[in-house]
Amino acid sequence: MEESCIEFKAFIRFLLDTLREVAGETDAEKRDAKLKRVLNNLQKTLEA
């Protein structure tokens, strides 16, 4: 159970880092592309 918690926290750290990168993007087109990539990756994770 402990390992599962550690893996989940690592996933959340990765997600937060990526979302911060998206939020810091000043170019709207690049920001939208990055956000779409994040959403697609999350969807793929759910489907796996």
Side-chain angles (χ1 to χ4, degrees):
M1 194 81 161
E2 181 71 25
E3 184 175 319
S4 180
C5 184
I6 291 170
E7 290 172 354
F8 181 71
K9 286 180 181 180
F11 171 75
I12 295 298
R13 281 189 204 98
F14 167 77
L15 183 58
L16 276 172
D17 184 52
T18 304
L19 290 174
R20 285 182 180 133
E21 179 183 333
V22 170
E25 182 60 65
T26 56
D27 183 286
E29 192 172 308
K30 288 182 181 179
R31 183 178 53 241
D32 290 346
K34 287 180 180 183
L35 185 56
K36 284 180 185 177
R37 188 182 76 229
V38 170
L39 293 172
N40 286 334
N41 286 338
L42 287 171
Q43 184 63 46
K44 289 177 186 178
T45 300
L46 288 174
E47 294 170 356

